């Protein structure tokens, strides 16, 4: 049998998968992982139920199992999906805006603003329910976001100015927060639970209050991928490509504030999710935000819900709050990221 000439063999050989195809496959795989983790969040809890009981509670009655599974775990899972996606997108947008891969939503003082507003509502206005002070948390985050934008130079804002303004405001607000909590034992007791970050207070009412803001912020963040990509090349190059720097920075601040503010209002300040996931995602997607943002929106809820499930298992019959679990997981990861970044710069 005569072999085909090399040219013909080259034409008939299958083409290697493109990087775009690999990224798309990875996105599908990430969605599958998210579905599995969401199902685990519904099936696993501090109260042990069999899979048959979970199924029965979800689809067949509204009695004991229905109350445990549907009213608690399902609402908790939905809030974890929304809040996780919001924190991941906020972190990715802020890292692109400040050109700092180690930035997170707390960098601009948004978490501090929400916490200060909540302690003010509890101490001075007597508001004690989560559904009551969720709006104060959101307004506090929004007010600090606007103040950071103003102090950072408004239309002349730069990444460095925004980061410095956010850091300064965070320090001042956390000082105020600690002072009020020390002077008011009642505020300390209520804030101690909220400030660690938790999904355990999830309810249909809380979800309905924050979901419009979360969805609007997600749409805005995803729409900013192209102008943020242009800004990553430098201001002069971005202007040459037609990007409006002031508008992009203002809309990025708005998106991050809305996302982080709404998530913090519903769950309390949850650390490291907005830092870890975008940074890890960037290592296999590259710097293109058209891929980083969708990946972050999918994998951040994986981390948040996975941490929540771990917290329910390790301390049965009680549970460990998700903010504590993410801090325990995130601390070593953050140290590793800093050391790797420092090594790469040497």
């Amino acid at each position: 049998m005569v072999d085909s000439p090399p040219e013909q063999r080259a034409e008939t050989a299958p083409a290697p998968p493109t990087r775009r195809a690999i990224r798309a496959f990875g996105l599908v795989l990430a969605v599958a992982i998210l579905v599995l983790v969401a199902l685990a969040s519904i099936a696993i809890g501090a109260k042990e139920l069999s899979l048959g009981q979970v199924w029965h509670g979800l689809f067949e009655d509204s009695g004991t199992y229905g109350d445990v599974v549907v009213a608690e775990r399902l609402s908790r899972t939905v809030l974890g999906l929304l809040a996780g996606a919001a924190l991941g997108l906020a972190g990715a947008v802020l890292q692109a805006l400040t050109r700092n891969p180690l930035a997170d939503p707390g960098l601009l003082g948004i978490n501090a603003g929400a916490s200060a507003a909540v302690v003010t509502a509890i101490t001075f206005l007597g508001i004690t329910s989560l559904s009551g002070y969720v709006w104060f948390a959101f307004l506090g985050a929004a007010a600090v976001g606007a103040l950071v934008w103003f102090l950072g130079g408004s239309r002349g804002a730069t990444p460095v100015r925004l980061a410095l303004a956010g850091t300064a405001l965070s320090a001042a607000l956390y000082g105020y927060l600690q002072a009020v909590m020390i002077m008011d034992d009642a505020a300390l007791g209520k804030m101690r639970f909220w400030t660690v970050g938790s999904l355990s207070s999830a309810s249909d009412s809380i979800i309905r209050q924050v979901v419009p803001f979360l969805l609007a912020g997600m749409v805005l963040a995803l729409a900013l991928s192209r102008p943020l990509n242009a800004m990553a090349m430098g201001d002069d190059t971005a202007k040459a490509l037609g990007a409006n720097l002031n508008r992009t920075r203002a809309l990025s601040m708005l998106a991050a504030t809305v996302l982080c503010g709404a998530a913090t209002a519903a769950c309390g300040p949850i650390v490291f999710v907005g830092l870890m996931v975008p940074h890890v995602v960037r290592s296999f997607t590259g710097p293109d935000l058209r891929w980083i943002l969708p990946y972050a929106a999918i994998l951040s809820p994986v981390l948040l819900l996975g941490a929540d499930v771990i917290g329910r298992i390790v301390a049965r019959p009680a549970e460990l709050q998700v903010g504590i679990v993410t801090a325990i997981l995130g601390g070593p990861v953050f140290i590793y990221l800093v050391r790797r970044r420092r090594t790469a710069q040497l």
Side-chain angles (χ1 to χ4, degrees), residues 100-252:
N100 180 2
L102 298 181
D104 76 329
L107 179 67
L108 299 184
I110 298 171
N111 287 346
S115 300
V118 169
V119 77
T120 299
I122 292 173
T123 304
F124 300 109
L125 301 178
I127 297 173
T128 57
S129 66
L130 178 60
S131 60
Y133 57 67
V134 63
W135 289 105
F136 286 89
F138 184 76
L139 291 174
V144 170
L147 190 56
V148 167
W149 176 249
F150 174 76
L151 294 177
S154 189
R155 294 180 64 84
T158 64
V160 174
R161 287 180 179 178
L162 291 173
L164 289 175
T167 302
L169 281 175
S170 291
L173 288 171
Y174 277 123
Y176 163 78
L177 181 69
Q178 295 300 320
V180 173
M181 291 172 65
I182 289 173
M183 293 186 296
D184 189 337
D185 291 338
L188 176 61
K190 295 180 177 67
M191 284 294 296
R192 183 174 54 188
F193 177 79
W194 186 82
T195 53
V196 297
S198 173
L199 298 176
S200 61
S201 298
S203 66
D204 292 343
S205 173
I206 297 298
I207 293 172
R208 284 195 299 268
Q209 290 182 67
V210 299
V211 71
F213 300 99
L214 292 173
L215 293 179
M218 290 177 192
V219 172
L220 179 58
L222 292 170
L224 289 169
S225 59
R226 289 183 181 274
L228 285 174
N229 273 343
M231 287 179 58
M233 302 178 189
D235 289 358
D236 292 338
T237 303
K239 289 178 181 177
L241 293 173
N244 187 318
L245 300 185
N246 291 328
R247 183 177 62 189
T248 301
R249 286 178 181 140
L251 291 177
S252 298

Side-chain angles (χ1 to χ4, degrees), residues 9-32:
R9 290 200 301 270
E11 290 176 0
T12 57
T18 64
R19 189 171 186 182
R20 183 183 181 88
I22 294 173
R23 287 168 172 171
F25 174 77
L27 205 59
V28 174
L29 182 61
V31 171

Side-chain angles (χ1 to χ4, degrees):
M1 182 176 180
V2 180
D3 290 337
S4 301
E7 296 81 1
Q8 184 176 349
R9 290 200 301 270
E11 290 176 0
T12 57
T18 64
R19 189 171 186 182
R20 183 183 181 88
I22 294 173
R23 287 168 172 171
F25 174 77
L27 205 59
V28 174
L29 182 61
V31 171
I33 294 172
L34 178 59
V35 171
L36 292 176
V37 173
L39 292 175
S41 178
I42 297 173
I44 301 172
K47 180 179 178 63
E48 294 190 43
L49 298 175
S50 68
L51 291 179
Q53 290 172 328
V54 172
W55 180 271
H56 191 265
L58 279 171
F59 299 108
E60 297 183 17
D61 85 338
S62 58
T64 303
Y65 297 140
D67 292 340
V68 171
V69 177
V70 179
E72 296 180 14
R73 295 187 192 172
L74 188 57
S75 295
R76 189 169 181 161
T77 301
V78 171
L79 182 59
L81 290 170
L82 293 169
L87 293 172
L89 284 172
V93 168
L94 288 177
Q95 288 173 14
L97 176 65
T98 60
R99 298 174 192 164
N100 180 2
L102 298 181
D104 76 329
L107 179 67
L108 299 184
I110 298 171
N111 287 346
S115 300
V118 169
V119 77
T120 299
I122 292 173
T123 304
F124 300 109
L125 301 178
I127 297 173
T128 57
S129 66
L130 178 60
S131 60
Y133 57 67
V134 63
W135 289 105
F136 286 89
F138 184 76
L139 291 174
V144 170
L147 190 56
V148 167
W149 176 249
F150 174 76
L151 294 177
S154 189
R155 294 180 64 84
T158 64
V160 174
R161 287 180 179 178
L162 291 173
L164 289 175
T167 302
L169 281 175
S170 291
L173 288 171
Y174 277 123
Y176 163 78
L177 181 69
Q178 295 300 320
V180 173
M181 291 172 65
I182 289 173
M183 293 186 296
D184 189 337
D185 291 338
L188 176 61
K190 295 180 177 67
M191 284 294 296
R192 183 174 54 188
F193 177 79
W194 186 82
T195 53
V196 297
S198 173
L199 298 176
S200 61
S201 298
S203 66
D204 292 343
S205 173
I206 297 298
I207 293 172
R208 284 195 299 268
Q209 290 182 67
V210 299
V211 71
F213 300 99
L214 292 173
L215 293 179
M218 290 177 192
V219 172
L220 179 58
L222 292 170
L224 289 169
S225 59
R226 289 183 181 274
L228 285 174
N229 273 343
M231 287 179 58
M233 302 178 189
D235 289 358
D236 292 338
T237 303
K239 289 178 181 177
L241 293 173
N244 187 318
L245 300 185
N246 291 328
R247 183 177 62 189
T248 301
R249 286 178 181 140
L251 291 177
S252 298
M253 277 290 300
L254 177 62
T257 300
V258 170
L259 288 169
C260 187
T264 302
C267 308
I270 297 176
V271 297
F272 286 118
V273 175
L275 166 65
M276 283 193 295
V277 176
H279 193 89
V280 172
V281 163
R282 194 179 294 106
S283 66
F284 60 85
T285 64
D288 191 346
L289 283 159
R290 292 175 298 177
W291 291 100
I292 292 175
L293 292 176
Y295 266 100
I298 294 170
L299 292 179
S300 294
V302 171
L303 173 61
L304 188 60
L305 288 177
D308 192 42
V309 171
I310 292 171
R312 299 181 217 173
I313 295 174
V314 297
R316 280 177 173 169
E319 65 178 65
L320 201 60
Q321 304 305 321
V322 66
I324 298 174
V325 179
T326 58
I328 293 172
L329 295 175
V333 173
F334 181 74
I335 294 171
Y336 167 74
L337 294 176
V338 171
R339 288 182 61 85
R340 190 178 73 167
R341 180 172 172 79
R342 181 181 177 184
T343 302
Q345 292 175 342
L346 294 178

